[in-house]
Amino acid sequence: MTTSQKHRDFVAEPMGEKPVGNLAGIDEVRGKKLEERGFDKAYVVLGQFLVLKKDKDLFREWLKDTCGTNAKQSRDYFGCLQEWCDTFL
Amino acid sequence: MAAAAASAPQQLSDEELFSQLRRYGLSPGPVTESTRPVYLKKLKKLREEEQQQHRSGGRGNKTRNSNNNNTAAATVAAAGSAAAAAAGMGVRPVSGDLSYLRTPGGLCRISASGPESLLGGPGGSSAAPAAGSKVLLGFSSDESDVEASPQDQAGGGGRKDRASLQYRGLKAPPASLAASEVTNSNSAERRKPHSWWGARRPAGPELQTAAGKDGAVEDEEGEGEDGEERDPEAEEPLWASRTVNGSRLVPYSCRENYSDSEEEDDDDVASTRQVLKDDSLSRHRPRRTHSKPLSPLTVKSAGGRLETSAQGGGGLAMNDRAAAAGSLDGSRNLEEAAAAEQGGGCDQVDSSPVPRYRVNAKKLTPLLPPPLTDLDSTLDSSTGSLLKTNNHIGGGAFNVDSPRIYSNSLPPSAAVAASGSLRINHANHTGSNHTYLKNTYNKPKLSEPEEELLQQFKREEVSPTGSFSAHYLSMFLLTAACLFFLILGLTYLGMRGTGVSEDGELSIENPFDETFGKIQESEKNLMMNTLYKLHDRLAQLAGDHECGSSSQRTLSVQEAAAYLKDLGPEYEGIFNTSLQWILENGKDVGIRCVGFGPEEELTNITDVQFLQSTRPLMSFWCRFRRAFVTVTHRLLLLCLGVVMVCVVLRYMKYRWTKEEEETRQMYDMVVKIIDVLRSHNEACQENKDLQPYMPIPHVRDSLIQPHDRKKMKKVWNRAVDFLAANESRVRTETRRIGGADFLVWRWIQPSASCDKILVIPSKVWQGQAFHLDRRNSPPNSLTPCLKIRNMFDPVMEIGDQWHLAIQEAILEKCSDNDGIVHIAVDKNSREGCVYVKCLSPEYAGKAFKALHGSWFDGKLVTVKYLRLDRYHHRFPQALTSNTPLKPSNKHMNSMSHLRLRTGLTNSQGSS
């Protein structure tokens, strides 16, 4: 399986008020960091993603800067959000 | 400008940052406090590239510049600045470049649609068509998943749309380039791009060498609809230079692609995969033209790979397919891009496939060849190393870069890159190779879309050349065998004739030696001659008789004497001696002496009246005809015998199945009777007013419907006998009821606890496992087709009709839904799949709600939506079915459990 259960769960429905930790590729540590920065809900991160015009590299760059994800995590995260956008936007 | 650009990033205000980014053709989003650092980094990278480009000053730069510039120029008004920026653009396909390139694409496309977007832009626009299919994700995947391909294709389609849209934006520049590529000469092609480039940017001259590549790049990226002419010669160098990289990469990447049946993947892998699928899909979809820009590159790389591997020795079937998929589009777009790509062909070939398979190679790192071992999981290094490779090859992988970048950053771009390289390869291809490729591609093209759908109908790929020789070889062998047997038969026939005569000769020879000792020498010869003559005459006569031309078989003695006299006077005298000898000689010399009657004993020559030949001499044709007739008769007899045997066997089989059926029915009846008796007994326990026995006719009439009674008479009798003989819990008695004597059954087993063991009925619905809500089911029904999984276990099922029970169960569960028009039980599927088609998605949604998550026969049933076209592909008979199906009877056997549980008489599976 290349998409995790987390990913699929997230993409299966509108994110609503889901916390950041629900996103695939974000573990606890990273989630905490994001929350510290003010991105406490998934939709806030979504906002950032959209502001960066859904650009993969920019977004991943931003993720790295913000919470120190590695390449795979950021890829997962990006994929998750992108898919969600494709589905629900 | 440069100085200003070189100012420290920290001093840049947001607006300045924004404009700087715009200068590079980027379309940045709002620079806020959170996005600022990111954009700063981006700017830094762009500047680095600029300097890199200045330093290296390779043609590739120009290409990249031109690419970027073209894209930027097409959309952004800063054409002039774009030119300058292009000059400053580094060749390295750094990630910054990626986004940069992407942006132009997005810009190009979006200029029409409005909002600029990067990667997401095209994706967003294509989200709508892809959204539906995307929702298919999230449900369990399995083998032979009908919608796996739809998903992939949907995803691929979505991405294709994105890519295509992106490339549409690039259409304008490439279009002119494509048009220019129609010319056949290298120089011409290069010139055209040059002119185009010149028109676009002032930095024309430098682009001379790069022009071809630039053009190629543009072509790859741009619309492939124009320019159908390709110059194969121009691409020879491209072809030749591809070798090592391609062959090694193809197997892995292709394998990767085809073994990976997951849903949305890694972008890279998925993109490659989608590229392949897109290629095949592009063939079938209406938005083919959209995908064309995409596919050419993909195809190119795939095709390039294919050809390499083909050269290397056949390549894998998958390679063929991948390449074919790619090359299909590639061959089309080949015309468009080939001309301009000659220059960078070789390198591009190497590099374009490389990037494409690099993407896959990420997962197959250990397998990649050394040149590609520097593959990094990050786009930056990969693109950078790719560039190095390109440069090494010595061409300047302009095209490579752009496709490379695209492949890394965008699934479509990967396709584009691949197709671009493929195009080059393809163009290089000589005519024969071309046809060869086309053959291989055509075949895989068909199997590609079908592959996922019909995995159980796998086909073997046979290389065309191999098949040709195999075909001819088999034909040759067959004809040789036929000829051999024919000759053998003829020889045999010929042999028979000669053999007879030889025997005749021999037999005549030998007796002469033995019994003629007493006769003189001269007489001996004379007699020999006489006998020979007689023998021949008689044989001829007999032959005529046998062949039907004469009616006389024997020669009378007088006629024989007269014949001999005709031949010569000396024969007359010896006639009697000969006859004597024939009589005395017991052996068969070919002449038989016959008297008046058939059985007459001949003792003296005077008794001999007729001479007859025992070995008729027949013409060859007559012999052949007789032999033929004989053979035919014998064959006919043989066939008749075989047919008889078959008929007998069939009949026996029929009888046997009928027996089985009847026995089964009998056992069913017995079970029913026992149930009735037992329940009656239990009722008696509670209600002491009832008689503890039941008359047999009453039981029969309650179990069998009136219209069945006659039919089931035999079965019933057998059941009664069985019960009498084998069932110990039931006793047959005679009772007087209402004045008449009845045979009754009495249940004599005391109500022991053993009978309280619950018999788990099979094939019944047993309730719902979970409540259906938005989390575990799609928000709306997507298609009218469903795939229901886990309804049965094919290993455990016995008999021939169990699939009917499954169908019944489904119909009964959805009995309130009269929109089901086609059900197909896949008896061979490991997962117990049943395919259902409804009148419309609403009905399918209703059925989904009724079935998904229910327990059936101890198994949890899951439901997925399928694509309608795939469903029709798999079940063509469903195309015309539009009458709602109903359960065959009102018993609702499969719902019995639920009925008992809930006390309702109709199904309720819906949440």
Side-chain angles (χ1 to χ4, degrees):
Chain A
M1 295 283 191
T2 52
T3 50
S4 63
Q5 187 60 41
K6 227 179 177 187
H7 174 112
R8 287 197 294 279
D9 286 342
F10 187 75
V11 175
E13 59 173 357
M15 64 171 77
E17 298 289 325
K18 283 187 188 168
V20 176
N22 272 32
L23 281 159
I26 297 295
D27 54 1
E28 278 193 26
V29 176
R30 311 273 181 279
K32 278 282 184 322
K33 283 206 185 146
L34 276 175
E35 283 169 22
E36 283 165 22
R37 298 292 208 100
F39 298 88
D40 56 341
K41 293 277 187 194
Y43 59 72
V44 186
V45 182
L46 174 72
Q48 181 68 10
F49 176 66
L50 295 174
V51 160
L52 287 172
K53 300 197 172 244
K54 303 194 208 166
D55 178 84
K56 176 169 178 169
D57 295 301
L58 287 178
F59 183 66
R60 288 173 66 176
E61 194 72 41
W62 173 83
L63 262 185
K64 197 157 79 162
D65 290 341
T66 313
C67 52
T69 55
N70 64 24
K72 180 181 185 302
Q73 285 172 331
S74 59
R75 194 168 52 230
D76 288 343
Y77 204 156
F78 168 76
C80 190
L81 274 178
Q82 187 180 45
E83 212 170 285
W84 191 95
C85 285
D86 291 337
T87 311
F88 295 101
L89 276 193
Chain B
M1 192 71 134
S7 62
Q10 293 81 6
Q11 295 152 15
L12 282 174
S13 72
D14 287 347
E15 292 78 19
E16 282 168 18
L17 182 58
F18 194 75
S19 55
Q20 292 269 324
L21 288 168
R22 290 283 297 267
R23 230 170 28 92
Y24 284 104
L26 201 66
S27 159
V31 182
T32 66
E33 56 173 280
S34 56
T35 62
R36 192 187 163 82
V38 187
Y39 282 126
L40 282 173
K41 278 200 193 139
K42 186 65 149 296
L43 193 64
K44 222 178 348 186
K45 276 184 208 146
L46 292 173
R47 290 206 187 130
E48 280 169 15
E49 285 166 17
E50 210 171 350
Q51 287 158 11
Q52 276 279 339
Q53 196 177 10
H54 276 309
R55 266 182 265 124
S56 60
R59 288 165 297 172
N61 300 344
K62 309 243 168 51
T63 317
R64 182 145 306 283
N65 294 339
S66 51
N67 287 338
N68 299 333
N69 288 337
N70 290 333
T71 56
T75 55
V76 184
S81 59
M89 282 298 298
V91 192
R92 286 180 194 288
V94 191
S95 61
D97 241 3
L98 294 174
S99 50
Y100 174 92
L101 285 172
R102 260 177 295 136
T103 341
L107 284 178
C108 295
R109 180 190 68 78
I110 287 148
S111 58
S113 55
E116 293 179 340
S117 65
L118 298 176
L119 178 57
S125 60
S126 62
S133 339
K134 289 281 171 82
V135 183
L136 289 171
L137 297 172
F139 294 94
S140 52
S141 65
D142 61 345
E143 107 290 11
S144 72
D145 202 339
V146 168
E147 69 269 26
S149 47
Q151 287 174 11
D152 286 338
Q153 284 157 358
R159 288 193 188 174
K160 220 179 7 160
D161 277 346
R162 275 179 259 151
S164 63
L165 290 169
Q166 180 172 15
Y167 288 109
R168 286 203 165 281
L170 297 171
K171 199 175 173 172
S176 58
L177 192 63
S180 70
E181 294 166 355
V182 180
T183 59
N184 284 342
S185 66
N186 278 352
S187 56
E189 287 156 358
R190 299 215 177 166
R191 271 200 310 272
K192 295 244 166 106
H194 298 176
S195 57
W196 184 82
W197 279 114
R200 281 285 176 180
R201 298 185 312 121
E206 277 182 312
L207 301 174
Q208 294 288 332
T209 46
K213 295 182 189 140
D214 293 346
V217 177
E218 290 306 324
D219 256 352
E220 293 166 4
E221 298 157 355
E223 184 55 49
E225 288 158 355
D226 332 325
E228 288 299 315
E229 307 298 317
R230 262 302 149 260
D231 188 5
E233 307 156 14
E235 288 153 351
E236 275 158 14
L238 297 175
W239 182 251
S241 54
R242 284 178 314 110
T243 31
V244 177
N245 290 338
S247 51
R248 266 179 285 174
L249 280 177
V250 168
Y252 301 129
S253 52
C254 287
R255 244 183 273 130
E256 160 82 63
N257 289 341
Y258 282 91
S259 60
D260 197 342
S261 62
E262 295 308 319
E263 294 144 15
E264 291 305 310
D265 271 338
D266 230 51
D267 283 356
D268 302 334
V269 176
S271 67
T272 335
R273 201 153 47 88
Q274 280 164 354
V275 155
L276 298 174
K277 296 207 175 107
D278 290 347
D279 294 336
S280 61
L281 285 177
S282 66
R283 294 263 163 267
H284 300 270
R285 302 213 166 196
R287 39 177 189 219
R288 196 159 144 195
T289 51
H290 296 228
S291 60
K292 262 198 180 172
L294 224 119
S295 18
L297 278 180
T298 331
V299 173
K300 265 259 167 92
S301 56
R305 284 286 159 248
L306 174 65
E307 293 173 354
T308 326
S309 55
Q311 284 177 352
L316 302 176
M318 292 208 282
N319 291 345
D320 284 350
R321 281 198 211 116
S327 58
L328 282 177
D329 279 343
S331 51
R332 301 262 175 92
N333 299 315
L334 211 49
E335 280 67 78
E336 308 147 12
E341 291 159 347
Q342 298 147 10
C346 302
D347 313 330
Q348 287 160 0
V349 173
D350 279 325
S351 38
S352 327
V354 165
R356 198 167 96 85
Y357 292 99
R358 256 187 196 217
V359 168
N360 282 331
K362 277 192 198 175
K363 298 209 167 160
L364 308 165
T365 323
L367 303 174
L368 285 178
L372 306 168
T373 45
D374 56 354
L375 186 66
D376 202 340
S377 65
T378 65
L379 296 171
D380 299 5
S381 45
S382 52
T383 41
S385 51
L386 181 61
L387 186 60
K388 288 185 200 118
T389 328
N390 296 336
N391 288 336
H392 273 155
I393 296 165
F398 326 110
N399 302 338
V400 180
D401 284 349
S402 38
R404 173 78 175 85
I405 287 175
Y406 281 111
S407 62
N408 278 332
S409 57
L410 275 176
S413 43
V416 175
S419 53
S421 59
L422 183 60
R423 259 189 280 168
I424 298 165
N425 299 337
H426 207 87
N428 280 341
H429 222 6
T430 56
S432 60
N433 285 346
H434 194 86
T435 20
Y436 169 87
L437 273 176
K438 276 226 152 81
N439 285 337
T440 43
Y441 298 151
N442 285 333
K443 270 197 284 185
K445 167 183 116 172
L446 289 172
S447 58
E448 255 269 38
E450 296 173 333
E451 200 190 9
E452 296 111 14
L453 176 61
L454 304 169
Q455 273 182 22
Q456 51 257 47
F457 311 121
K458 276 190 187 121
R459 279 181 242 144
E460 301 264 327
E461 281 279 344
V462 180
S463 73
T465 52
S467 73
F468 288 155
S469 58
H471 180 69
Y472 287 145
L473 189 66
S474 61
M475 289 297 295
F476 168 70
L477 276 176
L478 195 64
T479 48
C482 285
L483 269 172
F484 170 71
F485 281 116
L486 198 65
I487 290 171
L488 196 65
L490 289 175
T491 315
Y492 171 71
L493 285 176
M495 280 298 294
R496 276 197 74 197
T498 54
V500 168
S501 54
E502 277 177 13
D503 283 348
E505 304 279 2
L506 270 173
S507 67
I508 291 180
E509 281 287 343
N510 286 337
F512 277 138
D513 297 335
E514 295 162 11
T515 52
F516 276 114
K518 52 190 186 235
I519 308 172
Q520 292 127 10
E521 196 57 37
S522 60
E523 279 202 357
K524 213 193 280 193
N525 284 341
L526 205 56
M527 238 189 345
M528 245 178 9
N529 288 339
T530 318
L531 283 170
Y532 279 143
K533 291 281 188 295
L534 263 180
H535 179 260
D536 289 340
R537 178 82 181 93
L538 285 171
Q540 197 184 8
L541 192 66
D544 288 341
H545 174 83
E546 291 292 331
C547 287
S549 55
S550 84
S551 58
Q552 186 187 8
R553 198 168 191 278
T554 61
L555 208 58
S556 71
V557 173
Q558 293 83 2
E559 284 169 7
Y563 171 70
L564 282 174
K565 199 170 12 177
D566 287 338
L567 285 179
E570 68 272 14
Y571 291 118
E572 198 178 349
I574 207 73
F575 183 61
N576 287 336
T577 330
S578 322
L579 275 181
Q580 184 68 33
W581 176 80
I582 291 171
L583 272 175
E584 283 168 6
N585 192 338
K587 296 191 213 157
D588 178 17
V589 296
I591 300 175
R592 192 167 60 231
C593 304
V594 180
F596 276 118
E599 298 304 327
E600 198 174 308
E601 196 62 35
L602 305 166
T603 54
N604 199 346
I605 56 171
T606 52
D607 287 339
V608 176
Q609 298 300 325
F610 295 104
L611 292 174
Q612 200 178 48
S613 168
T614 51
R615 302 197 190 105
L617 184 73
M618 298 182 277
S619 73
F620 174 73
W621 173 244
C622 178
R623 212 177 314 128
F624 177 76
R625 213 170 28 144
R626 285 161 62 88
F628 178 75
V629 165
T630 319
V631 164
T632 337
H633 281 150
R634 296 224 185 99
L635 268 178
L636 261 165
L637 280 169
L638 188 70
C639 286
L640 252 147
V642 167
V643 163
M644 292 266 293
V645 169
C646 278
V647 163
V648 165
L649 279 174
R650 274 278 176 84
Y651 179 69
M652 277 178 46
K653 189 161 176 233
Y654 161 74
R655 286 301 306 275
W656 187 68
T657 42
K658 214 152 160 266
E659 272 292 320
E660 282 246 318
E661 177 71 21
E662 278 185 6
T663 315
R664 192 185 59 82
Q665 276 178 342
M666 188 266 287
Y667 283 125
D668 280 349
M669 187 61 63
V670 167
V671 167
K672 279 190 214 161
I673 293 170
I674 290 180
D675 281 342
V676 165
L677 288 178
R678 191 187 304 137
S679 56
H680 180 76
N681 185 37
E682 283 166 9
C684 284
Q685 301 289 339
E686 295 150 19
N687 183 357
K688 293 299 174 193
D689 289 341
L690 293 175
Q691 299 295 333
Y693 47 78
M694 282 185 83
I696 294 179
H698 293 186
V699 175
R700 181 197 68 198
D701 292 338
S702 66
L703 284 177
I704 308 179
Q705 301 292 324
H707 59 268
D708 287 337
R709 273 179 212 159
K710 205 141 182 217
K711 259 194 309 178
M712 303 288 274
K713 192 167 145 91
K714 184 163 177 257
V715 173
W716 176 258
N717 291 337
R718 285 180 69 186
V720 171
D721 295 339
F722 182 87
L723 274 178
N726 295 54
E727 181 61 55
S728 61
R729 294 172 291 181
V730 172
R731 190 168 65 202
T732 315
E733 319 175 318
T734 314
R735 292 261 162 187
R736 178 167 289 239
I737 300 175
D741 283 332
F742 278 102
L743 271 177
V744 301
W745 276 324
R746 177 194 289 269
W747 184 259
I748 55 177
Q749 183 186 29
S751 57
S753 55
C754 63
D755 259 4
K756 294 286 193 255
I757 297 168
L758 284 175
V759 175
I760 301 171
S762 70
K763 300 229 183 310
V764 290
W765 295 98
Q766 294 156 326
Q768 195 124 31
F770 48 83
H771 189 74
L772 285 176
D773 60 10
R774 295 204 61 191
R775 195 169 58 83
N776 47 29
S777 68
N780 58 320
S781 42
L782 311 159
T783 71
C785 303
L786 302 175
K787 174 179 181 183
I788 306 163
R789 247 194 245 120
N790 218 8
M791 287 290 292
F792 56 87
D793 188 352
V795 172
M796 304 287 291
E797 298 294 341
I798 48 175
D800 281 338
Q801 314 297 328
W802 53 268
H803 63 283
L804 295 176
I806 303 282
Q807 284 186 0
E808 278 300 302
I810 289 181
L811 283 171
E812 285 166 10
K813 193 75 162 65
C814 306
S815 57
D816 58 338
N817 174 1
D818 57 353
I820 297 178
V821 295
H822 176 260
I823 302 185
V825 175
D826 185 0
K827 286 172 122 175
N828 302 322
S829 80
R830 272 186 293 120
E831 294 207 340
C833 294
V834 181
Y835 298 92
V836 168
K837 181 186 169 194
C838 302
L839 279 173
S840 71
E842 290 80 40
Y843 288 113
K846 261 177 86 178
F848 183 96
K849 287 193 172 58
L851 295 167
H852 184 59
S854 301
W855 291 101
F856 178 74
D857 198 15
K859 295 192 269 289
L860 185 61
V861 172
T862 58
V863 186
K864 276 171 111 149
Y865 287 100
L866 298 183
R867 293 169 56 95
L868 186 62
D869 51 355
R870 304 234 142 221
Y871 193 93
H872 284 152
H873 195 106
R874 171 99 184 261
F875 302 105
Q877 65 269 26
L879 269 165
T880 53
S881 53
N882 51 11
T883 52
L885 297 173
K886 288 271 173 211
S888 62
N889 55 32
K890 291 274 188 270
H891 292 188
M892 297 289 207
N893 292 330
S894 68
M895 307 294 298
S896 54
H897 245 84
L898 294 175
R899 257 180 296 166
L900 286 173
R901 260 215 229 150
T902 63
L904 297 174
T905 54
N906 66 346
S907 64
Q908 79 288 354
S910 48
S911 55

